[in-house]
Amino acid sequence: METAQQSDMKQIHLNSLFLKLALSVLTGMAVLAASLSWLTIRTSGQIFSEMFSASQRKIFGQIEERFYQMYMNLAEIANTVADDAAVQTYLTAEQLDGVKGQKLTWQMQSQIRRTSIRQRPNLTLFLAGADDRSYLCSQGDVVRVPYAELLEYPVTQKAREQPGRLVCNYMQSGFTDTMKNVPVIAACRTITDGRGHTAGYLWLLMKESEVRAFYNCFLTGISDIVVFNQEGEVISTNNPRYRKDQNEELSRLLEVVAQARKSRVYATEEVRNGETVCYLVQQFTNSDFVIAGVVNARQTFYEAYGLYRNILITILVACSMMVPVFILVRRQTRPVSRLAASMREQKQRRFTGSVPVEGTDEIRELSKTYNEMITDLNLYIRKVVETEEAKRTAELHALQMQIHPHFIYNTLAGIKWLILQRDTKQSLAVLDAFIALLRNTISNADAFITIRQEEQNLRNYIQIIQTRYGSKIQAGFYIQPECMEAKIPKLTLQPLLENAFFHAFPNGQRGTVNILIHHTGKQLRIEIEDDGIGIKKDSTCDPSIHKETPGTSKEHFTGIGIRNVDERLKILYGPAYGITIDSKPGRGTTVKVQIPYELYNQNERRTFKGRF
């Protein structure tokens, strides 16, 4: 006996919900592992950033060495050529013809060939002086820009302001055929004669891509390199956005360069948009050229170590480990899910069905109690539904019986008036119309009729009314053809038409009543509008409340008809449907009826049925 009790206690303990919830510890472990991984990555990133900055400074040293060598070559070529007497004479001589001119040209070419220009086949040298005297040291190349335009170039103007100094500048396009439409770096120097007068100018052109090749091999893909000339202008960069005017990043970089020159600190960091950005500045030896680098250390770290790939692999491994855990948790929580799903679906299932009794002890107890509750609730709902259906049916019949006496009373009063007038022929015509109305309304057991039938009933009714009261009030029918076979509850429009005839035109006034029927999508819209006296401002347009209009007989207006029609439509179709009234004193009244647009079906049920 004691062994069985211990076994039951053990089973209860192992099958308890508390034990299953203990699996949430796995989530805590996962969060802890993720936190430790994040901390490790962050620490490694900081160390990498420091090491990367140190390596970048060494790289800048190599770039400086290459750029400095190039600049010194350009300076050596420019100075050698500009200081040569043959070059100066070539540019300033009045005439260059005959043997003397050929000899002078040969001496100038020999001097140029003795420079290091042979080591740079892609370098273009161009000399120009007065009287269109020029020389282009590049075979097969042609200068397409007039000399006057060359003098207007910014690099030429700067060289003119600084005689004897080699000035470098960036140009969007060169001025020779080989350099046309290609970004170039242009170097310019003035050439002076023995008296110190400007004899001409020397231009050296090289493609900007050749300078960019000095540092492209060191870029990681997320680093930016910018080379500035003496005036702080960009002459080379791997990122085109630094060439745009009004550039915030370029302005910030120039500020860093200025601070570095002033404080002699050539490396700095700042946090921008949550990212650490490193700025490195290096000034070239014996020149005012500066190279600046912008590095996002974190992204560089991610790229260098393939961190995104490693994170993806880690996530995939974690997901594979979560599969067995998910299966285990799913097996234990499936009963709870079934119970919750069953509770959500009970409204559509009319509170039928039950859930399996399984799972932990707590869930089993919940399932049993839930099944018992559903059984009791279903029995109660059935009783409520039966009671409500009986109540709705009784209300509809009561409303219909209210309309019938009201309609018959007014019609018989009209026939009585004809008999008093001793108009036998007209009396028979009215009786025929009245008999047709009784056949289509009271004798017809159908709860719904077509718009076509309703129109005929209204025409018969108008004939009876006009016989008694005359034809001062005219009626017009405007019905959309596709609405003729739409269904409508019987005796819906007759009370509304009756109100229009007897209350819109008191004291024998003339007027018009129009019946308009159309449909928009799934809605059938009916409007009965008149041009009568309208409703006073202190009256309400609520169809359940009506005030008697002066000059109107109480025998024709009790308020029952329009109020009952509105209540009947709301019971049949819901509160969104029914009657609305729009009226302006002295301008008429429009009674609007809105019901669902449905075609009449001969096989449908012929009696009213309330909705629950």
Side-chain angles (χ1 to χ4, degrees):
M1 183 69 178
E2 183 178 357
T3 304
Q5 291 180 350
Q6 291 177 353
S7 177
D8 292 340
M9 291 296 293
K10 183 177 180 180
Q11 183 178 4
I12 292 174
H13 177 70
L14 294 177
N15 200 33
S16 66
L17 185 61
F18 174 80
L19 180 62
K20 309 309 176 187
L21 293 177
L23 294 174
S24 60
V25 175
L26 292 177
T27 304
M29 294 175 62
V31 173
L32 179 61
S35 301
L36 292 176
S37 300
W38 176 83
L39 183 61
T40 302
I41 292 173
R42 184 176 178 83
T43 304
S44 301
Q46 292 176 350
I47 297 174
F48 174 83
S49 178
E50 297 176 359
M51 297 177 62
F52 183 78
S53 298
S55 64
Q56 286 295 105
R57 283 192 289 271
K58 294 182 179 180
I59 291 174
F60 272 31
Q62 299 179 23
I63 297 174
E64 179 201 2
E65 182 179 352
R66 294 185 179 185
F67 191 90
Y68 180 72
Q69 183 64 37
M70 178 204 71
Y71 178 76
M72 293 304 296
N73 287 340
L74 295 180
E76 181 266 334
I77 294 172
N79 294 333
T80 301
V81 174
D83 295 338
D84 184 64
V87 173
Q88 297 174 6
T89 304
Y90 176 84
L91 296 177
T92 57
E94 294 182 358
Q95 294 183 354
L96 287 177
D97 54 0
V99 178
K100 182 179 179 181
Q102 294 178 0
K103 182 178 180 181
L104 184 63
T105 303
W106 179 83
Q107 291 176 351
M108 179 183 65
Q109 292 176 345
S110 299
Q111 181 64 21
I112 293 175
R113 283 195 294 269
R114 281 194 290 269
T115 64
S116 59
I117 196 170
R118 290 184 176 183
Q119 302 173 5
R120 297 187 177 275
N122 296 325
L123 182 65
T124 298
L125 184 147
F126 179 64
L127 301 172
D131 300 328
D132 293 331
R133 191 75 53 79
S134 64
Y135 174 77
L136 179 62
C137 183
S138 178
Q139 294 183 358
D141 205 357
V142 179
V143 176
R144 299 295 185 181
V145 179
Y147 179 69
E149 185 175 339
L150 288 175
L151 296 179
E152 299 299 325
Y153 281 1
V155 66
T156 307
Q157 295 179 1
K158 293 177 182 178
R160 188 185 305 119
E161 295 171 357
Q162 306 175 53
R165 185 176 182 183
L166 184 65
V167 178
C168 292
N169 209 356
Y170 171 81
M171 294 176 57
Q172 191 68 31
S173 175
F175 51 78
T176 67
D177 282 350
T178 58
M179 300 288 183
K180 186 177 181 181
N181 300 325
V182 177
V184 298
I185 294 178
C188 183
R189 184 187 186 281
T190 58
I191 300 176
T192 57
D193 56 15
R195 294 174 295 178
H197 297 157
T198 300
Y201 296 90
L202 176 147
W203 288 275
L204 294 171
L205 297 180
M206 65 182 303
K207 296 180 180 179
E208 191 265 343
S209 58
E210 295 185 26
V211 178
R212 210 180 321 126
F214 292 165
Y215 53 80
N216 270 342
C217 58
F218 300 112
L219 296 177
T220 61
I222 54 177
S223 302
D224 295 333
I225 296 292
V226 184
V227 179
F228 296 98
N229 64 4
Q230 299 96 328
E231 288 77 20
E233 298 172 341
V234 178
I235 63 173
S236 179
T237 180
N238 66 307
N239 195 332
R241 70 171 180 266
Y242 289 102
R243 298 193 186 280
K244 297 179 180 179
D245 296 335
Q246 305 298 329
N247 189 295
E248 182 179 352
E249 296 182 1
L250 177 59
S251 300
R252 177 56 187 153
L253 187 57
L254 288 173
E255 293 177 2
V256 172
V257 171
Q259 294 174 0
R261 284 176 170 175
K262 182 178 180 180
S263 62
R264 300 293 181 178
V265 176
Y266 297 104
T268 183
E269 293 183 357
E270 69 177 28
V271 178
R272 187 171 60 193
N273 298 328
E275 298 287 342
T276 301
V277 179
C278 300
Y279 291 99
L280 303 174
V281 180
Q282 182 83 17
Q283 185 168 353
F284 294 158
T285 306
N286 298 327
S287 71
D288 291 332
F289 286 86
V290 174
I291 181 173
V294 183
V295 181
N296 190 316
R298 180 179 298 180
Q299 292 186 10
T300 305
F301 171 66
Y302 290 170
E303 182 182 278
Y305 289 95
L307 195 60
Y308 293 113
R309 182 188 69 252
N310 295 337
I311 291 175
L312 179 60
I313 294 175
T314 303
I315 293 175
L316 293 177
V317 173
C319 290
S320 63
M321 293 297 295
M322 289 298 294
V323 171
V325 177
F326 174 80
I327 294 175
L328 178 62
V329 173
R330 180 62 180 168
R331 178 178 297 178
Q332 301 303 325
T333 58
R334 185 179 291 112
V336 178
S337 301
R338 289 179 179 175
L339 181 60
S342 179
M343 295 177 68
R344 286 193 300 268
E345 297 172 358
Q346 282 306 322
K347 185 176 181 180
Q348 289 76 20
R349 297 193 309 179
R350 299 290 183 180
F351 298 99
T352 58
S354 58
V355 296
V357 180
E358 58 183 359
T360 63
D361 294 342
E362 295 85 352
I363 299 176
R364 292 172 66 89
E365 187 64 28
L366 283 175
S367 301
K368 289 170 60 178
T369 304
Y370 172 76
N371 291 337
E372 294 173 358
M373 180 190 68
I374 288 297
T375 302
D376 296 340
L377 185 60
N378 194 29
L379 293 175
Y380 175 75
I381 290 176
R382 288 181 181 177
K383 293 180 180 179
V384 172
V385 170
E386 293 174 357
T387 303
E388 287 295 327
E389 287 185 351
K391 181 180 177 181
R392 296 296 183 188
T393 303
E395 289 178 353
L396 289 171
H397 283 296
L399 290 173
Q400 193 174 19
M401 293 307 295
Q402 280 183 313
I403 293 176
H404 290 167
H406 176 66
F407 165 66
I408 295 173
Y409 174 81
N410 288 315
T411 305
L412 290 177
I415 297 174
K416 176 183 176 182
W417 183 83
L418 287 174
I419 295 174
L420 292 176
Q421 296 294 323
R422 297 184 180 183
D423 189 345
T424 304
K425 184 178 179 180
Q426 189 68 18
S427 299
L428 291 176
V430 173
L431 282 174
D432 289 338
F434 182 54
I435 291 171
L437 279 175
L438 293 179
R439 183 182 298 112
N440 291 330
T441 55
I442 298 178
S443 299
N444 187 359
D446 290 344
F448 296 90
I449 61 176
T450 64
I451 294 294
R452 189 185 304 278
Q453 292 173 309
E454 186 75 355
E455 178 194 9
Q456 187 59 44
N457 291 339
L458 294 180
R459 291 185 182 275
N460 289 332
Y461 177 76
I462 292 172
Q463 181 182 359
I464 297 172
I465 296 300
Q466 289 181 338
T467 301
R468 178 179 177 185
Y469 297 101
S471 58
K472 293 181 179 181
I473 304 174
Q474 297 296 321
F477 290 84
Y478 305 93
I479 305 175
Q480 207 172 23
E482 52 265 32
C483 296
M484 296 300 290
E485 299 304 321
K487 71 176 184 179
I488 186 173
K490 188 169 57 178
L491 288 176
T492 297
L493 302 184
Q494 183 271 334
L496 310 181
L497 184 64
E498 182 179 2
N499 279 338
F501 265 84
F502 289 108
H503 307 305
F505 310 99
N507 303 322
Q509 296 178 1
R510 294 181 177 274
T512 303
V513 179
N514 293 320
I515 298 94
L516 301 93
I517 303 177
H518 65 283
H519 79 94
T520 56
K522 298 182 179 180
Q523 307 296 325
L524 182 66
R525 302 182 185 274
I526 304 171
E527 298 182 7
I528 299 179
E529 60 178 20
D530 62 70
D531 53 1
I533 62 173
I535 300 176
K536 290 184 178 181
K537 292 183 179 180
D538 58 347
S539 300
T540 178
C541 290
D542 186 348
S544 64
I545 302 176
H546 298 279
K547 292 185 178 181
E548 184 176 356
T549 305
T552 303
S553 174
K554 291 186 178 180
E555 70 172 323
H556 297 301
F557 187 41
T558 62
I560 294 176
I562 191 170
R563 181 174 63 251
N564 286 353
V565 170
D566 183 66
E567 292 178 357
R568 184 155 57 113
L569 294 179
K570 284 180 167 54
I571 291 175
L572 288 172
Y573 301 114
Y577 298 93
I579 296 175
T580 57
I581 301 176
D582 183 15
S583 180
K584 296 181 179 179
R587 300 181 62 179
T589 302
T590 301
V591 180
K592 300 178 182 179
V593 180
Q594 179 173 296
I595 61 176
Y597 175 73
E598 301 173 349
L599 295 178
Y600 184 79
N601 185 3
Q602 292 286 349
N603 298 324
E604 67 181 345
R605 188 173 180 181
R606 292 176 174 266
T607 59
F608 289 109
K609 182 177 180 182
R611 295 187 176 184
F612 175 67

